Every structure is written in structure tokens, then in C-alpha cells.
Amino acid sequence: EASNNEKLREWDVCKEFYALAKKSVPDLRVMQCLNEFKGVQALAGHADIWDLYFGQYEQAGGPERLKAGDEICLAVCIWPSEHPNLFIEYPLLDARVMPWIAFRVGAKGFEYWDLFQSWAENNGNRDWWKAGAGTRTAWKLAKPHGDGLLLYPGPDGAPLSSLRFEALRDGIEDYELLCLLEQRAKADAQAAALVKEAREVLVTGVTSYERDPKKLLDLRGRILRELSNK
């Protein structure tokens, strides 16, 4: 573990690199992945977009950076393991609700470190799909919980989707609906009520949200009906 002096030097190096990059490309925006409060404090004013884990967003100082005018991109990885995350054994609702959480806190992006990292490290047979066993496969994960693995190798190396990947895609489409709804809410009380429900009832924090998927789908249906009304 790095000492405080070593960390301070690392942050100074980051500042030097960022300044050099922006001097070369003045319109360049720096995105910093960092989930340590002291580091975020040290680099405040030097990075423009903060890539923060859901489970570390608040304690890393994400709300303060938003208030200062920076952008936030939320992320998940193998750590921390709180819900929501994209582990295989976690409910699909986790993947679906993450963009709803991003909408609640004002995050404009989502980052996941790798879609098929385990392909090269798989302990099983890359041609598992030839076995004809349906959903029962010989695929053995090299990373715990399927971390870094949202796509599987198919025929001739073509990527095959996963339920987690498709649930995340559906959630991103929900995010787009919520943004449209927010625009309508400026002059529509019903739309404003639905935005409030999304932000204060369905999702109550970066790691706290309604765990019944039927309630998310019900709210989505009502949002679609509202947006369909002229």
C-alpha cells in the first residue's frame, strides 16, 4: 500500500500529465477513475469527468464534484461487491436499474471495464457451443462471478450476448425515456410526478432501490403511456 507521500506524488504526476494534454489539445476533457476521497480532493479542478463506483460514489465526493460543475460517470467492477453489480448470480434487476440510478444522481455515463476479458483466460472449451447441450455449457469462468464478462465466444469467435448485457441495454433505453420525460415535466404535471417517482420511490440512493422488478416495469409502462400522449 502506497504511503501518503507516494500518493501525493502520484497525484502531482497526474496533474502534470493532464496539464500537458490540455495544453496540446485545449478542448480535451480528462476522465479520472478514482474512488478515494483524498485523491478526488487533490485532483479537483484538474479532471473534468469522474468515473466512480456506485458503492463509492458518495464517500469519494461525487455529489460535491457534481455541484462544482464536473460530470459523473458511474461504474461497477469486482469491488465493491454491493448491489447493484453485474455478477452472474445477482438479479437481472441490478443491471436494469443502474441507468435509473444514474438518472437520479445526475450521472451522464456508465463505465464497465471489459465485456469479454475472460475469453483469453477461460478454463474450459472455447467451442462449448458445439456441444449441443443448450444452456448447459462447459464454460468455466476464470474471473469470479463473471466479472468483466458480458459477451461469450460463439461460432468463429462471434460474440454471443448475455442476459445481463441485454438487461443493461434495456436500462440504458429506460434512461433515454427518463430524459425525454424530464423535458416534458417542465410543462406537464403528470410527467413531473413520474420523474419524482423514478427519483424518490423506485430509486432512493446509489445502492438503494426497489427490488421488485415488476415495479420498475410498471413505472416504465406508465412513462411510455405519458410520452405517447400528445
Side-chain angles (χ1 to χ4, degrees):
E1 185 173 336
S3 67
N4 286 334
N5 287 337
E6 289 173 334
K7 288 183 178 180
L8 288 172
R9 177 55 187 156
E10 289 175 357
W11 298 331
D12 287 339
V13 170
C14 287
K15 294 176 187 178
E16 293 170 7
F17 280 138
Y18 298 165
L20 178 62
K22 290 188 175 187
K23 182 178 180 181
S24 302
V25 187
D27 294 333
L28 181 70
R29 305 182 71 213
V30 171
M31 182 173 178
Q32 173 66 60
C33 180
L34 183 62
N35 288 281
E36 182 178 342
F37 178 74
K38 290 183 178 180
V40 172
Q41 290 286 95
L43 296 178
H46 299 273
D48 308 293
I49 305 171
W50 299 91
D51 182 26
L52 307 175
Y53 296 153
F54 283 79
Q56 299 292 317
Y57 167 73
E58 291 180 343
Q59 67 190 62
E64 290 78 9
R65 298 320 314 151
L66 264 181
K67 290 178 182 177
D70 293 347
E71 289 188 13
I72 296 294
C73 181
L74 292 175
V76 291
C77 191
I78 191 119
W79 181 89
S81 59
E82 293 94 338
H83 294 273
N85 211 310
L86 293 172
F87 300 141
I88 287 176
E89 70 270 30
Y90 280 16
L92 281 179
L93 177 64
D94 275 33
R96 183 69 179 265
V97 81
M98 287 193 288
W100 292 73
I101 296 171
F103 177 77
R104 181 189 190 276
V105 303
K108 294 185 177 180
F110 171 77
E111 180 268 319
Y112 190 58
W113 69 284
D114 206 323
L115 298 179
F116 49 90
Q117 200 274 343
S118 291
W119 285 23
E121 301 177 15
N122 176 43
N123 296 320
N125 180 7
R126 284 284 294 272
D127 293 331
W128 61 270
W129 53 272
K130 293 181 179 179
T135 58
R136 297 179 63 84
T137 74
W139 184 262
K140 298 178 181 179
L141 299 176
K143 296 289 184 180
H145 314 290
D147 182 55
L149 180 66
L150 293 182
L151 300 174
Y152 294 87
D156 299 320
L160 297 177
S161 186
S162 68
L163 292 175
R164 292 168 297 137
F165 189 56
E166 295 184 14
L168 177 60
R169 174 207 60 195
D170 291 344
I172 292 172
E173 292 178 355
D174 295 341
Y175 182 96
E176 294 176 345
L177 292 176
L178 289 164
C179 290
L180 292 173
L181 184 71
E182 189 171 39
Q183 288 297 315
R184 175 171 289 204
K186 295 175 182 179
D188 186 312
Q190 179 60 31
L194 290 171
V195 169
K196 182 179 178 65
E197 183 176 348
R199 283 191 168 132
E200 299 180 12
V201 178
L202 186 78
V203 177
T204 55
V206 284
T207 58
S208 58
Y209 50 90
E210 174 57 57
R211 301 306 174 98
D212 183 353
K214 292 180 181 179
K215 294 185 178 180
L216 183 151
L217 295 176
D218 173 72
L219 178 54
R220 182 182 188 274
R222 287 186 281 123
I223 290 172
L224 284 172
R225 288 192 291 274
E226 169 64 24
L227 291 174
S228 297
N229 294 331
K230 294 184 179 180

